[in-house]
Amino acid sequence: MQTEELTMHMIITGDAIQTFARNALHRGKLTEIGVKYSPSKRLGKARYVLNSLKPKLTEEQQDKILSGDAYLKGESICDKPECDQCKGKEPITFVDEEDFNFKLELKDIEIEKKDDEIKEIQDEFYIDEDWKERKQKREEQIKEERKEKKIFKDATTSKASGKIKIGNYMVSKKLIEEYVKLIEWQKHASVISFSRTDPAISANALALRITKHKELFKDAGLSYHGDDELRKRDFTDPEYTKSREFYDEIEKYIEKNHPKLSQENRAKRSGETSDMIRMMRSLEGEKSE
């Protein structure tokens, strides 16, 4: 009886390689049970992992993968056309698009680092009454940061699906609900920004909201009235007029379905100053009051 010999080789996914590299840089070890690297060696170890790929990635491409501004897909297939094991698989390729899930994971990593800081300080210093109070405040701050992350994550992900009608246009229900959640997130961010005297928190929340706003217009097949090119036209321009009408329909939808987030209530809410309102309307293409 004739036997057939098969040669097997290891295949690893691009996702696994980038996970090892990102862990080396951001967590200091390839896996949970792996060796911990000192801060000075972490970038070198991450590059060592990514340099195993062929063709080699540029340092710019590696930096994008490590920061979540790009990602890898595919698998490490061999170069033999007759290999049954690799048949139908795609080679590892660099995708120059944001890895949104990893960007969210980075927020978890930052919180983990702060947890580690608390443990290190506990081991290093004698815990007196003053320290207990400081420790409690720090733990409360970390809890607050975790809440912020949850609000942000809820604002940028949704299980909603299908289309709904807003004015004369059908748009993604998922998109409009994400936009509403980002208005809610902006409300929280304004309070946090004020309490921490950090305007960047509020500015980032506003930028996220505007990005999602523009996606709504794109989904409806309309130009965005706040873009410079359209704003330079005459206000009677049909393309501009349709865009403005759709803007008003979105606000009507929010007022009807989420009255607490209506334009009027947003302007009155605690922590939102007149300067913030003017900046928001300027960025979204409205005339400042």
Side-chain angles (χ1 to χ4, degrees):
M1 181 178 176
Q2 190 173 2
T3 58
E4 183 181 359
E5 289 187 5
L6 293 176
T7 302
M8 304 294 289
H9 61 84
M10 186 180 75
I11 292 179
I12 188 167
T13 65
D15 181 62
I17 290 173
Q18 72 187 9
T19 298
F20 289 143
R22 287 167 173 175
N23 281 344
L25 177 63
H26 298 291
R27 288 194 164 98
K29 50 187 179 179
L30 297 179
T31 63
E32 271 190 43
I33 59 172
V35 178
K36 189 103 173 178
Y37 308 114
S38 64
S40 62
K41 293 182 179 179
R42 291 178 183 181
L43 178 59
K45 180 59 69 173
R47 291 205 188 285
Y48 176 79
V49 173
L50 292 175
N51 280 330
S52 66
L53 294 169
K54 292 181 182 179
K56 284 192 175 295
L57 298 168
T58 66
E59 280 201 3
E60 183 184 0
Q61 288 175 321
Q62 290 181 12
D63 289 341
K64 281 191 164 188
I65 289 169
L66 293 172
S67 65
D69 291 317
Y71 61 91
L72 297 172
K73 71 173 183 177
E75 300 175 76
S76 59
I77 62 176
C78 69
D79 55 1
K80 296 179 181 178
E82 67 277 10
C83 177
D84 290 332
Q85 194 179 351
C86 294
K87 196 172 290 181
K89 298 185 186 301
E90 294 293 326
I92 292 176
T93 54
F94 173 83
V95 182
D96 197 5
E97 294 176 4
E98 184 181 50
D99 188 344
F100 188 72
N101 287 332
F102 180 66
K103 285 289 183 91
L104 288 176
E105 188 181 335
L106 278 176
K107 292 182 175 291
D108 282 326
I109 292 172
E110 287 305 313
I111 290 172
E112 286 170 15
K113 286 179 182 175
K114 285 166 184 149
D115 284 337
D116 290 340
E117 283 173 22
I118 288 177
K119 289 173 187 173
E120 286 171 10
I121 293 171
Q122 282 178 322
D123 293 339
E124 188 175 351
F125 297 103
Y126 172 72
I127 302 178
D128 56 15
E129 289 304 316
D130 288 342
W131 160 243
K132 286 180 181 178
E133 186 179 343
R134 293 196 302 275
K135 173 179 174 288
Q136 185 178 357
K137 285 181 180 177
R138 187 73 184 98
E139 287 174 345
E140 286 171 359
Q141 186 181 351
I142 288 172
K143 283 180 185 176
E144 186 61 31
E145 285 167 356
R146 284 188 175 134
K147 260 190 221 175
E148 292 170 25
K149 178 187 174 291
K150 185 178 185 308
I151 294 169
F152 174 81
K153 190 171 182 179
D154 288 345
T156 48
T157 56
S158 172
K159 293 182 180 178
S161 60
K163 295 271 186 179
I164 60 171
K165 191 172 184 181
I166 296 183
N168 296 319
Y169 301 92
M170 297 299 294
V171 295
S172 163
K173 184 179 178 183
K174 177 177 181 290
L175 272 180
I176 187 66
E177 290 305 318
E178 285 177 350
Y179 177 65
V180 168
K181 286 178 181 177
L182 283 171
I183 295 175
E184 180 69 20
W185 164 240
Q186 189 184 342
K187 180 177 74 172
H188 287 281
S190 296
V191 176
I192 295 163
S193 185
F194 177 78
S195 64
R196 296 188 186 175
T197 61
D198 184 357
I201 297 173
S202 190
N204 288 339
L206 175 61
L208 280 169
R209 178 188 157 193
I210 292 172
T211 299
K212 191 62 64 178
H213 203 198
K214 289 183 177 182
E215 287 180 28
L216 272 173
F217 283 77
K218 185 177 180 182
D219 193 49
L222 296 168
S223 300
Y224 189 67
H225 57 277
D227 289 340
D228 287 341
E229 184 183 343
L230 199 57
R231 291 174 70 181
K232 289 176 183 176
R233 300 186 193 177
D234 190 285
F235 287 166
T236 60
D237 184 292
E239 193 174 357
Y240 180 87
T241 303
K242 286 179 182 178
S243 181
R244 285 296 310 174
E245 286 173 352
F246 184 58
Y247 173 91
D248 292 337
E249 292 296 337
I250 291 173
E251 289 301 328
K252 288 177 186 175
Y253 172 87
I254 294 170
E255 189 170 354
K256 179 182 177 182
N257 296 281
H258 306 276
K260 289 183 180 179
L261 298 177
S262 68
Q263 197 171 45
E264 183 180 353
N265 284 331
R266 294 202 303 267
K268 290 178 181 177
R269 72 174 178 251
S270 173
E272 183 171 82
T273 65
S274 58
D275 286 341
M276 186 60 166
I277 297 167
R278 282 197 291 273
M279 179 175 72
M280 181 179 71
R281 290 183 176 174
S282 174
L283 286 169
E284 291 192 348
E286 293 188 56
K287 292 181 178 178
S288 298
E289 290 183 357

